[in-house]
Amino acid sequence: MSETERFQLGTVGALSLSVVSSVSIVICNKALISALGFHFATTLTSWHLLVTFCSLHVALWMKLFEHKPFDARAVMGFGILNGISIGLLNLSLGFNSVGFYQMTKLAIIPCTVLLETLFFRKKFSRTIQLSLCVLLLGVGIATVTDLQLNALGSVLSLLAVMTTCIAQIMTNTIQKRFKVSSTQLLYQSCPYQAMTLFIIGPFLDGLLTNENVFAFKYTPQVLVFIILSCLISVSVNFSTFLVIGKTSPVTYQVLGHLKTCLVLAFGYVLLHDPFNWRNIAGILVALGGMLLYSYFCIREGQQKSLEASSQLSQAKESESDPLIVIENGAGIVNDAPKAPVWTSNKDLHA
C-alpha cells in the first residue's frame, strides 16, 4: 500500500470515528441532561478531558505512542484557549435563543475561511465556497427557528466564534509546525483544558442553571451515564484532533454539520423528537452541500497531486541533462584534455 493510500485510509477512518463517537456522545448526554436532569455541561466537559488525559497517560505507559515535548507556552496558550472557547459556547447557548445559537455555529465556517485567507494565504476555490454556502443554507433551514437578539448574547456569540476558529486553526498549525501527532498534542494540552474548565465550570453552570453541581443528587443511573459519557469522550477528543490534523478546520466544521443532521435524524427515530418537512428539506440540502464539498476537495487534491508529480518528473529530467558538453560531441574524453564550451541549444540550470 502506497503512502498516499495509507493517508487516505487514515483520513476516512478518522472521519468515521469522529462521526460515530460524536453522535453517540450527543445521544448519551441528551439522555443525561433531558431525562436525568444533569444540566452541568461545562463541568461534565472538564471531567471528559480529565478522563481523556488519564487514558492517554495509560497509553503512554503502555508505549502506544511517544511523548514529544515542545514549546510549553504554545501548549499552555492553546489548552487555555480551547477551554475558554468551550465555556463561551455554553454561555452563548445560555444567553441566546436556540435559533441564534445555531446561527453562531454556522458562522464558524465563514469565519475560519476568512481567517485562513487573511493570515495564512490559503485559497478556497469558487466551487468549494459554493458547496459551503449550500451546506450552511441546508443546516440553517433544518436547525434555525427563532432568532431573538440581545446585546450580551451577541457579544458572547462573537467571542465564542472567534475563539473556536482560532483554537481549531491552531490545532492544525501546531501539529504541522512542531511535527507532532494528534495524540501527542492532545496529551500535552489536555491538562490545561481540564484545569480551565474545572475552574470556570461550576461557576458557569451555576450561572446558567441556578443549581450547584456539588449539591446534585448522584443516583446510580446518573453515575452510569456520566461514566459512559466520559469514556465516549476519549474517542471524541482524539478523533477531533486527528481529523483537524489530517484535513483542515473547515473540513472538521463540515463534518460537524453532518453530525448535526444525523443527531436530528436519530432524535426523531430513537427519541421521537418533533420533526417536520422543513427539517427533512434542510437535511437533504445540507447533505447535498457536503457531497459537493467532498467531491470538489477530492478533485482539487487529485489535481494538486498530478501537478506535484509532474513538477517532480520535470525536476528529475532537468537534473539528468548535462550542463557541459565535450567539444567534439562524441561523449568520449580523449587523453588530451580539451576546454569545454557551452552549447547554444541547451538550457543553463543553476
Side-chain angles (χ1 to χ4, degrees):
M1 185 181 292
S2 65
E3 188 69 24
T4 303
E5 290 175 338
R6 283 200 297 269
F7 177 80
Q8 291 174 345
L9 185 62
T11 303
V12 171
L15 295 171
S16 303
L17 178 63
S18 179
V19 170
V20 172
S21 57
S22 295
V23 173
S24 300
I25 201 169
V26 167
I27 294 173
C28 177
N29 288 348
K30 191 168 185 177
L32 183 61
I33 293 171
S34 301
L36 301 176
F38 187 86
H39 302 125
F40 312 103
T42 310
T43 303
L44 180 63
T45 305
S46 69
W47 297 345
H48 289 170
L49 291 164
L50 177 62
V51 172
T52 299
F53 175 73
C54 293
S55 302
L56 290 176
H57 196 70
V58 172
L60 179 65
W61 177 73
M62 297 174 64
K63 298 182 179 179
L64 297 179
F65 71 97
E66 180 184 356
H67 180 46
K68 185 179 179 181
F70 58 98
D71 192 338
R73 288 183 299 178
V75 175
M76 181 184 297
F78 170 71
I80 293 174
L81 180 64
N82 256 313
I84 291 174
S85 71
I86 294 171
L88 285 171
L89 281 171
N90 288 339
L91 279 175
S92 175
L93 177 59
F95 283 90
N96 289 301
S97 64
V98 175
F100 191 81
Y101 174 72
Q102 291 296 339
M103 287 295 294
T104 299
K105 291 174 67 178
L106 292 178
I108 293 175
I109 284 184
C111 182
T112 303
V113 170
L114 178 63
L115 290 177
E116 290 196 307
T117 302
L118 291 177
F119 296 102
F120 294 92
R121 306 297 181 189
K122 187 172 181 179
K123 295 181 180 180
F124 295 87
S125 66
R126 291 290 177 86
T127 52
I128 292 293
Q129 294 175 18
L130 175 63
S131 62
L132 290 175
C133 289
V134 174
L135 164 67
L136 295 177
L137 175 64
V139 176
I141 292 172
T143 60
V144 177
T145 51
D146 56 322
L147 286 176
Q148 300 175 9
L149 303 180
N150 64 82
L152 178 59
S154 300
V155 171
L156 289 171
S157 294
L158 178 62
L159 292 174
V161 169
M162 293 300 297
T163 53
T164 301
C165 292
I166 294 171
Q168 291 182 359
I169 291 172
M170 286 180 66
T171 304
N172 183 273
T173 53
I174 286 176
Q175 291 185 54
K176 288 179 169 58
R177 179 182 176 185
F178 295 103
K179 294 181 172 57
V180 293
S181 68
S182 55
T183 310
Q184 291 167 333
L185 177 58
L186 180 61
Y187 175 71
Q188 294 186 64
S189 63
C190 250
Y192 299 107
Q193 295 182 60
M195 178 184 65
T196 303
L197 292 176
F198 266 128
I199 294 172
I200 67 175
F203 169 75
L204 290 185
D205 290 332
L207 180 67
L208 295 173
T209 64
N210 293 322
E211 298 178 25
N212 188 345
V213 65
F214 302 109
F216 185 79
K217 184 179 179 181
Y218 291 89
T219 64
Q221 192 175 10
V222 170
L223 291 175
V224 167
F225 272 91
I226 289 176
I227 293 171
L228 180 60
S229 178
C230 289
L231 292 176
I232 299 173
S233 73
V234 177
S235 177
V236 173
N237 291 323
F238 172 72
S239 61
T240 296
F241 279 58
L242 190 61
V243 167
I244 296 177
K246 283 185 171 291
T247 57
S248 70
V250 173
T251 299
Y252 174 72
Q253 284 299 322
V254 171
L255 189 69
H257 291 306
L258 171 62
K259 300 170 194 174
T260 300
C261 294
L262 291 175
V263 168
L264 287 174
F266 280 121
Y268 172 72
V269 174
L270 300 179
L271 304 176
H272 305 291
D273 289 343
F275 212 66
N276 54 42
W277 287 107
R278 177 179 173 174
N279 299 129
I280 297 173
I283 289 174
L284 292 176
V285 173
L287 290 176
M290 292 173 204
L291 291 174
L292 287 173
Y293 178 81
S294 302
Y295 171 74
F296 291 132
C297 282
I298 292 171
R299 192 179 70 175
E300 291 182 9
Q302 290 173 344
Q303 289 176 350
K304 289 179 181 179
S305 299
L306 289 174
E307 290 174 1
S309 60
S310 176
Q311 291 174 358
L312 183 61
S313 62
Q314 289 176 1
K316 289 181 178 179
E317 288 176 2
S318 64
E319 288 175 2
S320 64
D321 287 342
L323 298 180
I324 300 175
V325 179
I326 303 302
E327 187 176 16
N328 60 9
I332 301 174
V333 180
N334 298 326
D335 292 336
K338 296 182 180 181
V341 295
W342 298 104
T343 61
S344 60
N345 62 343
K346 283 282 184 180
D347 293 330
L348 301 181
H349 300 277

